């Protein structure tokens, strides 16, 4: 058994037997005297376990204040592999953290997990540095807005937003009352899916476009079934949602097909390999803006077949880009 399991076993032995001798614990745990001494010292000093030596009975027991009561060691018990996995996950979440908001709330858990592993601060820091997330074109969200919106989502309360819609000249600003449904993280940016009471429909709001956000205490949010939310906002390609989806058909050249074929462009996509090594992809979209941006990353290696409007829009973007070079 690993050390975490030994800690649990020691606690269970003392709880069930009242007092356990050093020799008895060694035999049951199958460890050396030095190892057991380190375990007992760690439990007392780092885990605040009220274990003390009783000279009269020549054994270890809980302190007098805990005798006859149920004692639990602090923390949730995991194996060493599970602890490493949790610390790795913590580091990945930190990569999504804008201003340390998540880390601030999760730090006590991180400290406890690190303590259960027994590593000192330097070792724990070195381990988490082995995980790195690289983000580009990140749109930063003020931490107070993220915390306000996140709280409203969890508490199922309405929000009052001052929202700047992107457009020429900086876009128009409007005040809205919304019922939050879920937070979405997409391409290094946070969005809020919510029912907009002004427009009487589901809308998607970028958190970085919020100039102000306030929870309307005591005003319950309108709650929509998850299936309805997914059916309206998750049908199209990328972050653009709402409206009836169309289907795009594109073909990637044999030079990049091996790479692109391993990507999921949309959960409902359909694809097939062509005899000449090219890769044919069909996928739904509602608004062509983001789809065009991703197709242009493969300019010269992808052909747009349909619908005609998408094909023409793609050709126009290519012509405009070529003209800018002359």
């Amino acid at each position: 058994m690993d050390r975490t399991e030994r800690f649990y076993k020691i606690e269970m032995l003392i709880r069930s037997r009242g007092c356990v001798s050093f020799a008895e614990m060694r035999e049951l745990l199958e460890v050396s005297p030095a190892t057991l001494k380190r375990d007992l010292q760690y439990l007392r000093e780092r885990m605040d376990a009220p274990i003390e030596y009783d000279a009269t009975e020549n054994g270890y027991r809980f302190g007098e204040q805990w005798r006859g009561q149920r004692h639990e060691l602090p923390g949730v018990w995991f194996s060493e592999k599970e602890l490493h996995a949790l610390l790795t996950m913590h580091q990945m979440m930190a990569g999504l953290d804008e201003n340390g908001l998540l880390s601030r709330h999760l730090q006590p858990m991180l400290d406890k997990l690190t303590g259960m592993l027994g590593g000192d601060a330097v070792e724990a820091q070195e381990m988490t540095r082995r995980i790195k997330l690289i983000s580009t074109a990140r749109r930063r969200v003020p931490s107070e807005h993220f915390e306000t919106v996140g709280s409203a989502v969890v508490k199922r309360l309405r929000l009052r937003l001052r929202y700047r819609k992107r457009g020429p000249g900086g876009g128009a600003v409007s005040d809205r009352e919304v019922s939050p449904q879920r937070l979405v993280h997409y391409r290094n940016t946070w969005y809020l899916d919510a029912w907009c009471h002004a427009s009487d429909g589901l809308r998607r709001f970028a958190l970085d476009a919020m100039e102000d956000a306030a929870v309307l205490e005591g005003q319950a949010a309108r709650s929509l079934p998850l299936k309805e939310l997914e059916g309206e906002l998750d049908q199209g390609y990328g972050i653009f949602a709402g409206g009836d989806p169309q289907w795009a058909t594109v073909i990637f050249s044999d030079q990049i097909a091996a790479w692109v074929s391993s990507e999921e462009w949309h959960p409902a996509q359909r694809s097939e390999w062509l005899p000449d090594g090219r890769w044919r992809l069909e996928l739904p979209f509602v608004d062509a803006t983001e789809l065009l941006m991703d197709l242009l990353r493969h300019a010269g290696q992808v052909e747009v077949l349909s619908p005609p409007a998408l094909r023409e829009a793609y050709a126009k973007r290519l012509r405009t880009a070529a003209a800018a070079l002359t």
Side-chain angles (χ1 to χ4, degrees), residues 48-111:
D48 296 322
I51 299 174
E52 62 183 29
Y53 178 70
D54 189 322
T56 304
E57 296 192 31
N58 189 30
Y60 291 87
R61 63 188 307 161
F62 290 143
E64 185 173 353
Q65 72 275 24
W66 282 101
R67 293 174 194 173
Q69 300 183 44
R70 183 178 180 84
H71 171 263
E72 295 281 357
L73 289 175
V76 180
W77 292 99
F78 300 100
S79 69
E80 191 166 340
K81 287 184 179 179
E82 290 170 332
L83 287 170
H84 279 105
L86 285 169
L87 289 171
T88 299
M89 184 178 69
H90 180 278
Q91 185 67 5
M92 294 177 68
M93 291 180 67
L96 304 177
D97 205 355
E98 278 298 320
N99 296 302
L101 174 65
L102 297 176
S103 297
R104 206 161 57 236
H105 295 292
L106 293 175
Q107 192 60 44
M109 182 188 74
L110 176 63
D111 294 340

Side-chain angles (χ1 to χ4, degrees), residues 3-4 7 42 46-47 80 83-84 87 107 110-128:
R3 188 174 64 167
T4 301
F7 288 170
Y42 191 93
R46 300 285 292 275
M47 306 296 284
E80 191 166 340
L83 287 170
H84 279 105
L87 289 171
Q107 192 60 44
L110 176 63
D111 294 340
K112 186 170 290 186
L113 293 176
T114 303
M116 291 174 72
L117 270 176
D120 60 24
V122 175
E123 290 173 339
Q125 184 180 33
E126 176 64 23
M127 182 172 63
T128 55

Side-chain angles (χ1 to χ4, degrees), residues 18-308:
C19 188
V20 187
S21 70
F22 189 89
E24 189 175 11
M25 275 195 280
R26 267 196 61 208
E27 181 180 356
L28 292 170
L29 298 173
E30 299 180 339
V31 294
S32 68
T35 296
L36 181 53
K37 286 180 181 178
R38 284 196 299 270
D39 286 351
L40 290 169
Q41 182 180 5
Y42 191 93
L43 283 166
R44 286 193 294 252
E45 296 180 0
R46 300 285 292 275
M47 306 296 284
D48 296 322
I51 299 174
E52 62 183 29
Y53 178 70
D54 189 322
T56 304
E57 296 192 31
N58 189 30
Y60 291 87
R61 63 188 307 161
F62 290 143
E64 185 173 353
Q65 72 275 24
W66 282 101
R67 293 174 194 173
Q69 300 183 44
R70 183 178 180 84
H71 171 263
E72 295 281 357
L73 289 175
V76 180
W77 292 99
F78 300 100
S79 69
E80 191 166 340
K81 287 184 179 179
E82 290 170 332
L83 287 170
H84 279 105
L86 285 169
L87 289 171
T88 299
M89 184 178 69
H90 180 278
Q91 185 67 5
M92 294 177 68
M93 291 180 67
L96 304 177
D97 205 355
E98 278 298 320
N99 296 302
L101 174 65
L102 297 176
S103 297
R104 206 161 57 236
H105 295 292
L106 293 175
Q107 192 60 44
M109 182 188 74
L110 176 63
D111 294 340
K112 186 170 290 186
L113 293 176
T114 303
M116 291 174 72
L117 270 176
D120 60 24
V122 175
E123 290 173 339
Q125 184 180 33
E126 176 64 23
M127 182 172 63
T128 55
R129 286 173 61 190
R130 298 295 176 177
I131 306 297
K132 182 177 180 64
L133 297 181
I134 299 176
S135 300
T136 59
R138 174 183 292 181
R139 286 162 25 199
R140 297 193 174 276
V141 177
S143 60
E144 66 271 18
H145 293 353
F146 185 93
E147 193 159 6
T148 298
V149 172
S151 176
V153 171
V154 173
K155 293 180 179 178
R156 314 301 299 128
L157 293 173
R158 295 191 183 193
L159 277 170
R160 179 178 290 116
L161 301 179
R162 185 162 181 78
Y163 190 76
R164 180 177 294 279
K165 189 173 182 180
R166 289 188 170 86
V173 178
S174 61
D175 293 319
R176 310 191 184 209
E177 185 174 317
V178 303
S179 287
Q181 304 298 316
R182 66 180 178 183
L183 277 170
V184 177
H185 187 265
Y186 179 73
R187 296 192 177 186
N188 303 316
T189 302
W190 286 99
Y191 297 88
L192 171 69
D193 288 346
W195 180 269
C196 179
H197 295 276
S199 55
D200 200 31
L202 282 169
R203 297 291 183 269
R204 181 164 283 165
F205 302 94
L207 264 66
D208 63 290
M210 295 178 183
E211 296 192 350
D212 190 35
V215 177
L216 298 178
E217 297 292 346
Q219 297 191 37
R222 174 177 176 175
S223 184
L224 300 179
L226 187 58
K227 284 189 176 180
E228 181 179 344
L229 190 66
E230 294 172 343
E232 184 158 347
L233 297 183
D234 295 351
Q235 291 188 81
Y237 181 81
I239 203 64
F240 290 95
D244 298 325
Q246 305 179 65
W247 280 82
T249 302
V250 299
I251 295 180
F252 294 92
S253 74
D254 58 352
Q255 297 180 43
I256 64 168
W259 300 99
V260 182
S261 63
S262 64
E263 300 173 355
E264 182 183 81
W265 287 52
H266 192 277
Q269 70 185 40
R270 302 188 294 259
S271 62
E272 64 173 345
W273 285 97
L274 301 179
D276 58 3
R278 294 182 299 162
W279 190 60
R280 177 189 176 102
L281 174 66
E282 298 178 358
L283 70 161
F285 72 99
V286 173
D287 186 298
T289 304
E290 192 171 1
L291 178 56
L292 285 170
M293 291 168 58
D294 286 339
L295 290 172
L296 288 166
R297 289 191 297 115
H298 301 288
Q301 301 290 342
V302 61
E303 178 186 1
V304 178
L305 298 184
S306 64

